Amino acid sequence: MAAAFAYISNAQGGGDAAGWRQRLGAALGEAIDLRAWPDIGDPADIAIALAWKPPPGVLARLPNLRLIVSTGMGVDHLLVDPELPAGVPIVRIIDPGLVGQMAEYAIYWLLHHHRDMDAYAAQQRSRQWHEVPFTDTALRRVGVLGLGEIGANTARKIAALGFPTAGWSRSPRRIDGIDCHHGRDGLEDVLRRSDVLVDVLPMTAQTAGLLDARAFARMPRGAFFVNMARGGHVVDRDLLAALDAGHLAGAALDVFHVEPLPQDHPFWSHPKVKVTPHIAGPTNPRTAAESVAENVRRLRTGRPLLNLIDPAAGY
Ligand code: OXD
């Protein structure tokens, strides 16, 4: 019976085969046969695929595949594969390390904007000693779009710093200390009150292009936007127009429609845009292995899997 694991990826960010072999083996308490694609030997040996942005069609060529594990917390990178093998369950990791790093990314840019760090860097270049008028933390309103594992953790940590924090999700959520909104009207409310907006939504048909000219116009003048979710949520030309018109003060972007960000994309050189190469939440096999191991144990003993993906819903 097929029993080997394969790590299938040709992109940065989902961990690495050696790390997964070591950490997953340790979590399972056994030496595992984990092969790194494309050197996987006989495809019929592979029972469990750990995948991050796998090239389309590769998973379909594993005839005895019993489980697909997304080694990112998002799964859109898998669902775009037109040959995704039907009937093979897909689960995602829950990685507390990744969740924590995502919050760090949001908080880093929130504080960078809130404490006027660009203005002080410019002053240092011209040797100026001058205090920029500060904004009281209690008056800097933050909105977090998406209140799943990552969004809820990010929102809680931001609120703990003293920022009035609201969140938005598709269906109603209750999180202590967070002003939670949902549905279409709820989105308008959160946009309207977000001096800093953090996007953590999944990529689905409903979230594609959600952040367009209308959405940016709803946000207060001088607002800052952090995207650590998916580039497909944003209409790039509308974001650029909002920045150029001075309506938005800036944007920190970690994700893009096309990655790596094409060399000629205006974001690279825009003075109000910070570009990072999809590093907000790198998967850490050390912290993610236990969630994979638990599903491997469940698969082996025929128990229900955790963190199952519904391909129709897209998350
Ligand atoms: C993920 C990501 O989905 O890093 O985990 O984008």
Side-chain angles (χ1 to χ4, degrees), residues 12-14 52-53 70-77 92-93 98 102 150 228-230 254-255 259 278-283:
Q12 61 170 33
W52 172 244
K53 300 189 178 175
S70 167
T71 67
M73 289 189 59
V75 288
D76 47 307
H77 66 102
R92 68 185 181 120
I93 54 160
L98 179 156
M102 297 285 283
I150 297 169
M228 54 177 194
R230 290 294 181 258
D254 187 53
V255 286
E259 295 180 8
H278 202 142
I279 47 77
T283 297

Side-chain angles (χ1 to χ4, degrees), residues 142-198:
V142 181
V144 177
L145 302 183
L147 292 174
E149 202 85 26
I150 297 169
N153 179 64
T154 301
R156 275 195 202 97
K157 287 178 174 168
I158 290 173
L161 291 171
F163 295 97
T165 307
W168 181 75
S169 50
R170 222 161 63 111
S171 42
R173 291 283 320 262
R174 282 177 69 131
I175 304 174
D176 279 350
I178 309 300
D179 178 15
C180 292
H181 298 250
H182 68 278
R184 194 75 223 178
D185 292 347
L187 177 61
E188 304 273 313
D189 293 341
V190 171
L191 291 172
R192 213 171 277 125
R193 63 163 309 289
S194 292
D195 300 312
V196 176
L197 183 74
V198 179

Side-chain angles (χ1 to χ4, degrees), residues 85-119:
V88 179
I90 305 174
V91 294
R92 68 185 181 120
I93 54 160
I94 296 294
D95 178 356
L98 179 156
V99 169
Q101 294 210 4
M102 297 285 283
E104 287 169 12
Y105 185 90
I107 290 168
Y108 176 85
W109 288 116
L110 163 61
L111 295 180
H112 186 98
H113 172 67
H114 176 59
R115 300 306 309 269
D116 300 299
M117 287 303 163
D118 282 342

Side-chain angles (χ1 to χ4, degrees), residues 176-254:
D176 279 350
I178 309 300
D179 178 15
C180 292
H181 298 250
H182 68 278
R184 194 75 223 178
D185 292 347
L187 177 61
E188 304 273 313
D189 293 341
V190 171
L191 291 172
R192 213 171 277 125
R193 63 163 309 289
S194 292
D195 300 312
V196 176
L197 183 74
V198 179
D199 179 12
V200 201
L201 288 165
M203 187 68 219
T204 65
Q206 287 72 37
T207 60
L210 189 72
L211 297 171
D212 58 4
R214 211 169 148 265
F216 293 125
R218 292 273 178 281
M219 292 170 64
R221 192 170 179 82
F224 191 86
F225 172 53
V226 180
N227 191 1
M228 54 177 194
R230 290 294 181 258
H233 297 161
V234 176
V235 179
D236 288 359
R237 65 172 179 280
D238 292 357
L239 174 57
L240 287 163
L243 291 163
D244 290 339
H247 185 68
L248 293 189
L253 307 176
D254 187 53

